[in-house]
Amino acid sequence: MNDFVGRGVLVVGGGGIGAEVCRQVAAQGGRVFFTYNRNEDAARELAGSLPEGAFAGHAQLDVTDEAATAAVVDQSVQALGKLDALVTTVGYLHQLTMFEDVDMATVRRTIEIELFGVINLAKSVLPKMRANGYGRIVTVGSDSGKVGSKAEAASAGARGGVIAFSKALARETASSDICVNVVCPGPTETGLLEQMLADEGLSGKLMNAMVRAVPKRRAASPAEVASMTCFLASERASYVTGQAISVSGGLTMS
Ligand SMILES: NC(=O)c1ccc[n+]([C@@H]2O[C@H](COP(=O)([O-])OP(=O)(O)OC[C@H]3O[C@@H](n4cnc5c(N)ncnc54)[C@H](OP(=O)(O)O)[C@@H]3O)[C@@H](O)[C@H]2O)c1
């Protein structure tokens, strides 16, 4: 497949799933600009692994910083030539805790990153996509935003917000050939899941139970989640907008 020939894609968050999105876009002929937050070493490694013609650059970004987000979006447009798709894979949740035990600073930070981060990015990319008369916005969220999930209430609230926000944007932008969708992964084999499964407390207990409950009887590979994400970020998804699509091995069927 050559879904991304002539296309420029900004991937925000080059972690486990984000890195795989970068690789698939590159393999399908596209150009990628990606961001990282704290993990500079992994970003350097990802940058070095992408084919030269496909890699347009990378930058450090905290999506809660509105001005920095706008600046990095501008930087990516300059590097890519034009911005055809935005894929956001940013997440803050790394530990499961019952809501009554979470401090409010963590609740606020979670919502700042997982919901306002997505909103800040949309605010910056939309005028550019509108001017081009084309765009794809895909956010990798979570099934917790559809069905709730124990011990991640703040994150579930943020993810639910992302789904509703994306549906509203989809309605506002459909006539400009801009599609806005959300991918909701179930447990996916990245460093994030590995860390949670190995936890000896509540996170490990709940995540191991969740993986056992998946009808497919295994976690997803990052490639399986990236594959749906890339489809939605491509021109082929021209008639799909306002959707929150689960890639969860049947864990959630709603
Ligand atoms: N893996 C799973 O089982 C699973 C299941 C359901 C949903 N998800 C969701 O899918 C998404 C990707 O997951 P993943 O497994 O690939 O996780 P990951 O490897 O931890 O990736 C998360 C990414 O978010 C970036 N990030 C964190 N805080 C940020 C901030 N303030 N500003 C900008 N970037 C920030 C991280 O950058 P640095 O690493 O550079 O700090 C990293 O690239 C996340 O939203 C996650 O919650 C994952």
Side-chain angles (χ1 to χ4, degrees):
M1 270 186 301
N2 284 313
D3 280 355
F4 290 100
V5 172
R7 297 291 187 195
V9 182
L10 168 60
V11 178
V12 177
I17 294 171
E20 186 56 31
V21 170
C22 292
R23 285 190 278 270
Q24 290 192 14
V25 168
Q28 293 180 44
R31 297 193 77 221
V32 179
F33 187 102
F34 74 88
T35 74
Y36 64 96
N37 182 26
R38 284 174 301 184
N39 209 337
E40 194 175 353
D41 288 347
R44 206 174 300 118
E45 199 176 308
L46 174 61
S49 74
L50 294 169
E52 210 172 289
F55 174 56
H58 67 304
Q60 196 278 336
L61 175 64
D62 180 342
V63 288
T64 65
D65 183 332
E66 216 180 307
T69 301
V72 166
V73 167
D74 284 348
Q75 191 186 341
S76 74
V77 173
Q78 275 212 323
L80 292 165
K82 67 184 165 72
L83 182 61
D84 294 301
L86 163 70
V87 173
T88 304
T89 69
V90 167
Y92 184 60
L93 179 79
H94 285 88
Q95 194 185 352
L96 303 184
T97 313
M98 300 296 273
F99 179 68
E100 287 147 289
D101 299 328
V102 185
D103 60 273
M104 281 308 287
T106 303
V107 169
R108 284 207 176 82
R109 183 78 182 145
T110 302
I111 292 170
E112 276 288 326
I113 293 174
E114 295 187 350
L115 177 56
F116 271 96
V118 172
I119 291 172
N120 289 340
L121 282 158
K123 196 77 183 163
S124 293
V125 303
L126 265 178
K128 300 179 194 308
M129 290 181 173
R130 192 77 88 170
N132 293 343
Y134 178 89
R136 301 284 182 263
I137 296 177
V138 187
T139 303
V140 177
S142 170
D143 266 340
S144 68
K146 285 183 178 179
V147 297
S149 205
K150 188 172 173 179
E152 47 182 296
S155 182
R159 307 305 197 165
V162 165
I163 292 171
F165 173 71
S166 300
K167 286 176 189 282
L169 271 197
R171 289 186 191 279
E172 291 185 17
T173 58
S175 62
S176 297
D177 198 10
I178 297 171
C179 298
V180 188
N181 291 292
V182 180
V183 173
C184 300
T188 306
E189 283 166 349
T190 66
L192 171 64
L193 180 67
E194 203 179 313
Q195 178 201 316
M196 281 181 157
L197 290 175
D199 180 272
E200 289 184 356
L202 187 63
S203 301
K205 192 172 153 218
L206 291 177
M207 286 313 292
N208 278 290
M210 194 185 286
V211 174
R212 282 197 300 274
V214 174
K216 282 274 188 185
R217 309 194 76 78
R218 64 174 176 83
S221 69
E224 287 170 317
V225 177
S227 167
M228 172 59 73
T229 307
C230 286
F231 167 71
L232 293 171
S234 77
E235 201 170 348
R236 285 199 298 143
S238 52
Y239 207 61
V240 183
T241 196
Q243 303 305 306
I245 299 178
S246 295
V247 182
S248 59
L251 184 62
T252 40
M253 300 190 188
S254 62

